């Protein structure tokens, strides 16, 4: 969708020059503008239509991660959870319409301070009464942690709160309840929001701790097709997973802006390195891009950006359209998130460091986006925990992933061999997946193997798409860097041969660097001043300059004998 949001005045405000609250307010305004631009329907959200994915993949989201955080919870989790109940719950339609128009912000209150990834064991209670429910936070550890619930920015908020349904003193399992949080000015009675300090070096948002003091809710607050059905589920854990079904889709959606971020960082690094010079022999200026140590991070980020942007829609389509098995869909979500996030964590610091002191400043994007990226590692499932669960299922043959044939490429061979190696180890241990041996010897391999699968799938898609050979070669050598011992031991590529392959790949890349960087198609979304001398000088004029007319007092000097 060619919406040219990057030209809108809201996206041309320099947020680093604003106060904290001004920046948060700007993020809410931008989120509303994005919602108004895409005009999603409830069906778009429920069935993750192409329009839904177009929004989630819009490069504009990578410019303001606070805005993306708002939208991810508002659209993917809140509207998404409610969307599948609209057919049997027409009373929910007015709320969903307000959410779709961004007249209210939807927040998703699942995690508790004392129960991070252990959300199945939350403690917030919703006790059934003849009139409805009483929502209550029994102790501090049961406070809902992080989602932005303050009334400080002039917009009403409504939450989906997961609580333990208590009927006649019996725990009937975890269910979602619709809870009004605040109007434009203040919290609703019994709801308390404690604003957290800002996360270090990130785009600010009004992250909060939310508690409930015997809040009265109507019967219709229960998120269910049948509000009269409050029976205990036969399989509580399965029922819980069904309640949080949008989390699995969120796992797949949240990495999308980080692909754009990788491309932006590659662009910034390439442009900066091309005009930044040092004085060489005879005082002649030499661009720092001429140094191999500068070339690798830029080549790496560019190749990853191109390969990931090609693979992501293919992987999403595979997960959404080509399978009805929710386990396979979730498995693909985990592979996608792991692969994109770990690439991001390697590429961004590499390039930022090669931009020196300039790379540490907020206005040049890289340092802040690196810190913001730490949040997505946790959002919609911690990457390592997701890998542990999926790896265990793969080894026990509870789920099967479609992988490239091992003869297709080095990366496919690597992924297949690692998986088979661990299957053989698991069989030799003669233990179950909860044993100490499994915990000690197999679980530490979880992320390595899942990431290798992602590398193989992404590379296969890149080859089939006909991406330029220098890009393919850089991506391959970057993957080899993650496990050089295996490629030496099992593929017969010695350390020196690996270095020579990498050198050849960079040489072929550098012959077309400007062309490849242009193909990232990200320039319109880059506002870092260091991309050229002209943009830096223009930016400098907006900064505060201090001057005065004070005259320093000279200290009397007295000779000492």
């Amino acid at each position: 969708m060619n919406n040219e949001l990057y030209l809108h005045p809201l996206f041309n405000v320099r947020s680093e020059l604003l106060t904290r609250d001004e920046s948060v307010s700007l993020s809410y305004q931008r989120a509303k503008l994005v919602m108004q631009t895409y005009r999603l329907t409830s069906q778009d959200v429920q069935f993750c239509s192409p329009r839904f994915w177009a929004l989630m993949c819009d490069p504009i989201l990578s410019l303001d991660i606070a805005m993306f955080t708002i939208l991810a919870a508002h659209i993917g989790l809140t509207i998404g959870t409610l969307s599948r109940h609209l057919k049997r719950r027409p009373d929910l339609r007015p709320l969903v319409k307000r959410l779709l128009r961004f007249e209210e912000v939807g927040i998703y209150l699942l995690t508790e301070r004392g129960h991070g990834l252990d959300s199945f064991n939350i403690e917030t209670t919703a006790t059934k009464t003849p009139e409805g429910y009483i929502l209550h936070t029994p102790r501090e550890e049961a406070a809902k942690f992080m989602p932005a619930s303050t009334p400080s920015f002039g917009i009403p908020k409504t939450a989906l709160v997961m609580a333990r349904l208590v009927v006649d003193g019996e725990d009937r399992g975890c269910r979602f309840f619709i809870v009004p949080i605040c109007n434009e000015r203040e919290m609703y009675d019994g709801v308390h929001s404690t604003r957290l300090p800002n996360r270090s070096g990130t785009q600010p948002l009004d992250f909060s701790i939310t508690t409930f003091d015997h809040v009265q809710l109507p019967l219709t607050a229960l998120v269910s097709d049948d509000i009269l059905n409050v029976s205990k589920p036969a399989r509580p854990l399965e029922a819980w997973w069904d309640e949080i079904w949008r989390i699995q889709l969120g796992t797949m959606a949240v990495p999308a802006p980080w692909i754009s971020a990788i491309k932006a960082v590659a662009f910034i690094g390439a442009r900066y390195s091309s005009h930044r010079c040092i004085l060489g022999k005879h005082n002649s200026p030499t661009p720092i891009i001429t140094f191999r140590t500068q070339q690798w991070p830029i080549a790496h980020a560019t190749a990853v950006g191109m390969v990931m942007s090609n693979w992501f829609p293919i992987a999403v389509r595979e997960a959404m359209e080509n399978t009805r098995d929710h386990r396979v869909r979730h498995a693909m979500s985990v592979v996608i998130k792991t692969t994109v996030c770990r690439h991001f964590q390697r590429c961004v610091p590499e390039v930022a460091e090669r931009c020196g002191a300039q790379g540490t400043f907020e206005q040049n994007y890289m340092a802040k986006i690196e810190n913001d990226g730490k949040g997505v590692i946790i959002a919609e499932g911690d990457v390592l925990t997701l890998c542990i669960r999926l790896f265990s299922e793969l080894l026990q043959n509870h789920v099967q992933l479609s992988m490239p044939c091992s003869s297709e490429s080095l990366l496919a061979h690597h992924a297949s061999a690692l998986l088979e190696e661990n299957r053989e180890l698991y069989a030799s241990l003669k233990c179950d997946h909860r044993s100490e041996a499994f915990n000690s010897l197999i679980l530490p391999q979880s992320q390595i193997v899942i990431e290798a699968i992602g590398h193989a799938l992404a590379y296969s898609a890149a080859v089939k798409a006909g991406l330029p050979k220098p890009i393919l070669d850089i991506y391959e050598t970057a993957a080899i860097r993650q496990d050089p011992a295996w490629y030496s031991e099992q593929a017969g590529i010695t350390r020196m041969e690996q270095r020579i392959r990498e050198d050849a790949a960079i040489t072929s890349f550098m012959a077309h660097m400007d062309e490849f960087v242009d193909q990232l198609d990200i320039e319109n979304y880059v506002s870092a001043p260091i991309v050229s001398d002209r943009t830096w000088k223009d930016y400098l004029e907006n900064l505060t300059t201090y001057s005065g007319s004070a005259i320093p007092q000279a200290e009397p000097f007295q000779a000492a004998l």
Side-chain angles (χ1 to χ4, degrees):
M1 182 176 179
N2 186 20
N3 52 50
E4 296 189 339
L5 277 170
Y6 57 86
L7 295 176
H8 194 280
L10 284 177
F11 286 101
N12 286 289
V13 176
R14 303 295 317 200
S15 60
E16 73 272 10
L17 303 180
L18 303 177
T19 65
R20 178 186 176 193
D21 278 2
E22 286 172 343
S23 181
V24 176
S25 178
L26 177 64
S27 295
Y28 278 107
Q29 293 174 61
R30 288 171 167 175
K32 184 173 185 176
L33 174 63
V34 171
M35 288 292 290
Q36 291 173 336
T37 300
Y38 277 89
R39 299 185 181 279
L40 298 178
T41 67
S42 59
Q43 288 194 320
D44 283 329
V45 180
Q46 181 181 356
F47 299 109
C48 297
S49 71
R51 197 170 189 82
F52 168 86
W53 284 112
L55 187 156
M56 299 306 295
C57 294
D58 194 319
I60 206 73
L61 300 185
S62 67
L63 298 187
D64 185 339
I65 298 305
M67 172 192 69
F68 171 64
T69 302
I70 294 165
L71 290 172
H74 177 78
I75 301 171
L77 299 180
T78 308
I79 298 175
T81 299
L82 294 173
S83 64
R84 74 173 180 181
H85 299 288
L86 295 179
K87 187 174 181 180
R88 294 182 178 86
R89 290 286 306 276
D91 59 300
L92 297 179
R93 290 186 182 278
L95 170 60
V96 171
K97 286 181 179 178
R98 292 195 300 274
L99 293 171
L100 287 167
R101 293 193 296 263
F102 210 76
E103 294 170 359
E104 292 184 33
V105 168
I107 58 177
Y108 193 81
L109 296 179
L110 168 63
T111 305
E112 295 180 355
R113 208 278 298 167
H115 301 278
L117 296 172
D118 185 28
S119 297
F120 179 66
N121 293 309
I122 59 164
E123 299 177 58
T124 300
T125 57
T127 304
K128 182 79 167 58
T129 69
E131 297 77 26
Y133 302 92
I134 298 174
L135 184 70
H136 186 61
T137 303
R139 63 183 187 132
E140 183 275 327
E141 289 81 356
K144 297 297 182 180
F145 189 78
M146 200 165 174
S149 61
T150 76
S152 302
F153 298 96
I155 187 165
K157 295 179 180 178
T158 297
L160 296 187
V161 180
M162 178 156 278
R164 311 200 75 81
L165 173 59
V166 179
V167 181
D168 297 329
E170 181 186 20
D171 183 348
R172 300 282 179 90
C174 297
R175 307 288 285 273
F176 274 118
F177 294 84
I178 300 168
V179 184
I181 296 296
C182 65
N183 59 26
E184 297 92 334
R185 300 172 306 279
E186 61 180 334
M187 306 299 293
Y188 286 116
D189 188 37
V191 184
H192 307 284
S193 175
T194 302
R195 188 168 177 182
L196 290 164
N198 195 37
R199 293 191 301 134
S200 298
T202 62
Q203 191 80 9
L205 190 58
D206 53 326
F207 292 118
S208 313
I209 295 173
T210 313
T211 58
F212 305 96
D213 184 5
H214 298 91
V215 176
Q216 301 283 337
L217 300 175
L219 291 170
T220 53
L222 179 64
V223 179
S224 172
D225 284 351
D226 181 3
I227 62 173
L228 299 180
N229 182 3
V230 291
S231 60
K232 187 174 183 177
R235 297 180 178 85
L237 184 57
E238 288 184 20
W240 180 75
W241 277 111
D242 184 62
E243 288 288 321
I244 63 167
W245 68 285
R246 291 298 298 199
I247 291 284
Q248 295 184 3
L249 294 173
T251 299
M252 184 159 41
V254 293
W258 308 103
I259 298 173
S260 296
I262 292 169
K263 292 160 72 174
V265 166
F267 183 92
I268 294 166
R271 292 290 183 259
Y272 173 76
S273 301
S274 296
H275 76 80
R276 179 73 167 181
C277 296
I278 62 170
L279 291 180
K281 289 183 179 180
H282 312 297
N283 286 330
S284 59
T286 302
I288 60 175
I289 193 62
T290 58
F291 295 97
R292 211 38 142 206
T293 49
Q294 197 76 12
Q295 293 167 0
W296 166 256
I298 293 162
H300 181 201
T302 304
V304 166
M306 292 179 72
V307 171
M308 289 295 102
S309 61
N310 173 74
W311 175 56
F312 185 79
I314 295 170
V316 167
R317 188 162 57 249
E318 177 71 22
M320 297 299 299
E321 298 176 9
N322 298 342
T323 179
R324 294 187 177 182
D325 188 336
H326 70 90
R327 294 171 302 176
V328 176
R329 179 176 293 175
H330 184 56
M332 278 303 300
S333 297
V334 174
V335 172
I336 292 169
K337 180 175 181 181
T338 301
T339 308
V340 173
C341 288
R342 294 313 186 204
H343 274 316
F344 173 90
Q345 287 185 300
R346 295 184 189 110
C347 290
V348 175
E350 273 188 327
V351 177
E353 184 177 317
R354 300 318 311 143
C355 293
Q358 294 272 29
T360 66
F361 279 87
E362 184 175 349
Q363 70 269 13
N364 289 321
Y365 186 72
M366 294 173 285
K368 186 165 73 172
I369 201 68
E370 181 183 349
N371 282 325
D372 273 318
K374 295 169 185 174
V376 82
I377 303 301
I378 301 164
E380 270 76 345
D382 176 271
V383 164
L384 181 57
T385 304
L386 291 172
C387 287
I388 288 171
R389 182 173 177 228
L390 174 56
F391 191 49
S392 300
E393 291 175 342
L394 288 170
L395 294 187
Q396 297 172 86
N397 294 314
H398 292 168
V399 65
Q400 298 288 334
L401 274 174
S402 178
M403 293 170 55
C405 176
S406 61
S407 61
E408 184 178 307
S409 70
L410 273 172
L411 305 192
H413 183 196
H414 178 238
S416 298
L418 288 187
L419 190 56
E420 186 57 33
E421 174 186 288
N422 281 279
R423 280 179 171 149
E424 291 175 0
L425 175 60
Y426 179 41
S428 72
L429 293 174
K430 294 182 171 57
C431 65
D432 65 33
H433 69 289
R434 298 188 185 280
S435 69
E436 186 57 35
F438 194 92
N439 174 52
S440 301
L441 293 174
I442 292 181
L443 288 191
Q445 303 303 308
S446 300
Q447 182 182 293
I448 298 168
V449 179
I450 300 305
E451 198 175 349
I453 293 171
H455 293 160
L457 289 168
Y459 184 83
S460 177
V463 171
K464 291 172 183 175
L467 265 61
K469 189 174 186 304
I471 296 298
L472 296 174
D473 291 347
I474 290 290
Y475 189 82
E476 182 184 69
T477 57
I480 289 173
R481 273 193 173 201
Q482 299 312 308
D483 196 358
W486 184 92
Y487 287 96
S488 179
E489 294 171 359
Q490 304 299 322
I493 308 173
T494 66
R495 289 169 56 248
M496 182 56 66
E497 288 171 336
Q498 290 177 32
R499 193 184 306 174
I500 291 170
R501 288 168 71 103
E502 187 175 293
D503 177 67
I506 299 173
T507 297
S508 62
F509 172 89
M510 289 306 299
H512 305 280
M513 185 192 78
D514 289 338
E515 176 186 343
F516 292 146
V517 169
D518 286 341
Q519 288 175 17
L520 293 172
D521 195 25
I522 200 69
E523 183 173 7
N524 289 330
Y525 300 90
V526 171
S527 60
I530 59 168
V531 295
S532 73
D533 274 338
R534 180 67 266 159
T535 53
W536 167 251
K537 288 179 172 61
D538 289 343
Y539 179 76
L540 196 59
E541 292 178 2
N542 295 317
L543 302 182
T544 302
T545 300
Y546 297 90
S547 58
S549 56
I551 299 173
Q553 298 295 317
E555 293 287 340
F557 178 77
Q558 183 174 356
L561 298 179

